[in-house]
């Protein structure tokens, strides 16, 4: 049985407010942390919380780790909760996203160990091939800076659009050099992209949200982000100063164990989640 607690935006509003107030007082990271209690980790439900729950149920006790998993359904609160101490760590994001988040929010989150990659994919309920996208088709993309750029790079790699030379991890539709089909882009919160498939011609969907919507990158995607040399592996992260928390070190070791690698490969044999260690 999954032993997780789901947290919503409303439930953590107070924590987010605390972050905003303390951020005004000092730019220095508070490195104090109580390491005597359970390690509380914020995670996206799929696949992050599933991987953590496997660790909790099968590996943690033997390693002397008391692990608590809290599920978050967005890409903001796991970091703000880690920053303000509501949780001890999080597991949901990649390096480009974290770099952008820390810069914009003034947070001090750092990676500990990379665990897996979820390839980004282009999906559609309207067409069977990327070549069938018609002129003026509407394509939904995530609206956060890094994932939007990642989505546009996928479309560029698939030959659907061409980005300007030098387009980086902050690329937007304004950085498109060639759009021969005159595609229109609908910018949505990443979690909303699977539900948008009824209303748009195609959508670029993050791997975890695709999994939650029973979409397989290998079987359903019109185009898939390449796994080789991909900088978007998802990692365990903590507030700066807590990297050497013994509980965090135990979890980092377990998350990169042969048992977890086998669990990922067996559960997501279609390649929708790929070990990065």
């Amino acid at each position: 049985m999954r032993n997780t607690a789901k947290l919503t935006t409303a439930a953590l509003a107070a924590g987010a407010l605390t972050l905003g107030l303390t951020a005004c007082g000092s730019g220095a990271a508070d490195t104090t942390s109580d390491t005597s209690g359970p390690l509380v980790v914020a995670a996206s439900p799929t696949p992050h919380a599933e991987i953590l729950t496997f660790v909790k149920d099968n590996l943690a006790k033997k390693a002397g780790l008391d692990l608590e998993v809290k599920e978050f359904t967005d890409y903001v609160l796991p970091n703000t909760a880690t920053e303000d101490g509501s949780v001890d760590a999080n597991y949901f994001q990649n390096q480009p996203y974290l770099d952008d988040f820390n810069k914009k929010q003034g947070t001090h989150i750092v990676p500990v160990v990379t665990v897996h990659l979820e390839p980004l994919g282009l999906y559609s309920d309207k067409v069977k091939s990327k070549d069938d996208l018609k002129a003026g088709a509407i394509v939904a993309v995530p609206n956060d800076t890094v994932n939007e750029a990642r989505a546009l790079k996928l479309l560029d790699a698939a030959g659907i659009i061409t980005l300007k030379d030098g387009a980086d991890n902050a690329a937007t539709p304004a950085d498109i050099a060639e759009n021969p089909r005159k595609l229109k882009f609908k910018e949505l919160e990443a979690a909303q992209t699977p539900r948008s498939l009824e209303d748009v011609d195609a959508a670029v969907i993050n791997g975890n949200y695709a999994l939650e919507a029973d979409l397989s990158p290998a079987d359903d995607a019109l185009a898939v982000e390449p796994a080789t040399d991909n900088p978007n592996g998802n990692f365990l992260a903590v507030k700066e100063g807590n990297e050497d928390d013994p509980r965090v070190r135990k979890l980092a070791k377990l998350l990169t164990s042969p048992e977890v690698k086998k669990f990922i490969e067996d559960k997501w044999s279609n390649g929708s989640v790929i070990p990065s260690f």
Side-chain angles (χ1 to χ4, degrees), residues 7 14 18 70 104 130 162 168 172 205 241 271-272:
L7 297 184
T18 300
K70 292 186 180 295
K104 290 182 176 178
K130 62 184 176 66
T162 302
D168 59 15
T172 71
I205 302 175
S272 56

Side-chain angles (χ1 to χ4, degrees), residues 153-252:
K153 289 179 180 180
L154 169 62
L155 298 177
D156 177 273
I160 298 171
I161 63 170
T162 302
L163 289 171
K164 297 175 182 177
D165 291 341
D168 59 15
N169 290 330
T172 71
D175 294 296
I176 296 174
E178 297 179 21
N179 184 6
R181 303 182 208 188
K182 295 181 171 55
L183 300 178
K184 299 175 183 177
F185 296 95
K186 187 172 185 178
E187 297 167 311
L188 299 172
E189 183 182 350
Q192 302 300 320
T193 52
R195 290 189 284 274
S196 75
L197 287 173
E198 295 181 0
D199 305 315
V200 300
D201 297 290
V204 179
I205 302 175
N206 290 72
N208 60 313
Y209 293 130
L211 288 170
E212 289 177 16
D214 293 324
L215 294 170
S216 163
D219 300 328
D220 303 317
L222 309 183
V224 181
E225 188 178 43
T228 304
D229 298 323
N230 195 308
N232 296 296
N234 284 204
F235 47 68
L236 178 70
V238 297
K239 186 175 182 180
E240 184 178 6
N242 294 334
E243 301 95 320
D244 292 325
D245 181 326
R247 302 169 303 166
V248 171
R249 287 299 172 193
K250 285 181 182 179
L251 179 58

